[in-house]
Amino acid sequence: MIKRIKVNLEAIEALLYFWQAVNDREAISELFIYDVAAMPSLALVYEEEFNEESVRRALSAIKNREIFSRSSKKEGRFYNNNLWMMEDVSYAHAMTAPLKKLNLDALVPGLNSKFPNTPHEELEVLFSPLHTDEYLLQGNKLIVNFFRVKPGDADDDTYVGDQDLKAYITEKLEELLSK
């Protein structure tokens, strides 16, 4: 039975700092970049085409204002998405603001009624700066590509693609639990 759904914004918080610091031409240590690349919300998605070194190389190139030589489409997309965030850091903050207030406790009863025999007591929704994938499922974790989050224009709604954020999360958690 599910007791809690945790929201993890660790990597996004670190990158908000990174984007702002690079825009402000502040010094950022390579150690910080290594720490970001080692964060669980990124490490969970590593595979052959996109790994810790991909993240480190992309962020170092951005920090040093160097040309980035991608080894795969996923690396290139990750690099380009980070550049996009730096073009308008206020938009990155607008994307993050509703996630900081996100409370998913109301989803627990519905998920428990649909999946009463789930072995998971806790589910985790991680927002991570991904590449080409919109989301990934691993164990009890839903990893949502932060770059696909869209704040509403005229309202307080937030979307992933064209779908309301909570509806999107509910659908993906149901997919996770049905595995």
Side-chain angles (χ1 to χ4, degrees):
M1 178 176 273
I2 302 164
K3 294 182 179 175
R4 165 183 144 116
I5 302 173
K6 179 181 171 185
V7 176
N8 183 328
L9 298 172
E10 176 184 56
I12 301 308
E13 292 287 356
L15 282 173
L16 279 172
Y17 167 77
F18 175 82
W19 298 324
Q20 190 66 58
V22 170
N23 268 352
D24 295 343
R25 298 190 181 268
E26 293 178 14
I28 298 172
S29 74
E30 284 295 314
L31 182 59
F32 177 81
I33 292 173
Y34 276 100
D35 288 347
V36 169
M39 288 182 164
S41 53
L42 279 164
L44 286 168
V45 303
Y46 291 157
E47 34 105 327
E48 189 176 322
E49 288 184 42
F50 184 79
N51 54 40
E52 190 169 343
E53 183 63 10
S54 304
V55 171
R56 191 203 63 73
R57 286 186 326 99
L59 295 181
S60 287
I62 290 169
K63 175 189 100 151
N64 297 321
R65 291 172 167 66
E66 300 170 346
I67 295 172
F68 180 67
S69 177
R70 68 183 177 101
S71 299
S72 70
K73 181 179 179 180
K74 290 180 179 182
E75 283 185 358
R77 182 72 56 86
F78 178 78
Y79 174 78
N80 287 335
N81 283 339
N82 278 278
L83 285 179
W84 169 51
M85 289 294 100
M86 292 182 50
E87 286 176 14
D88 185 0
V89 177
S90 64
Y91 186 73
H93 284 284
M95 292 167 66
T96 308
L99 303 180
K100 288 181 179 181
K101 298 184 281 185
L102 188 60
N103 183 337
L104 301 174
D105 291 342
L107 303 181
V108 171
L111 291 172
N112 278 331
S113 69
K114 284 186 177 181
F115 303 94
N117 298 320
T118 183
H120 305 295
E121 287 191 3
E122 180 177 273
L123 299 177
E124 188 171 5
V125 178
L126 298 100
F127 289 89
S128 187
L130 299 182
H131 36 67
T132 56
D133 296 322
E134 183 172 276
Y135 72 97
L136 296 164
L137 302 172
Q138 288 195 8
N140 68 330
K141 294 171 178 34
L142 163 61
I143 306 159
V144 179
N145 188 343
F146 172 73
F147 298 123
R148 302 286 175 91
V149 173
K150 293 191 289 190
D153 293 331
D155 51 27
D156 290 337
D157 292 339
T158 305
Y159 305 90
V160 176
D162 293 332
Q163 194 172 10
D164 173 75
L165 179 64
K166 282 194 179 178
Y168 180 87
I169 290 171
T170 302
E171 177 183 295
K172 301 310 178 201
L173 288 176
E174 288 176 356
E175 181 182 339
L176 182 145
L177 292 169
S178 66
K179 286 185 161 192

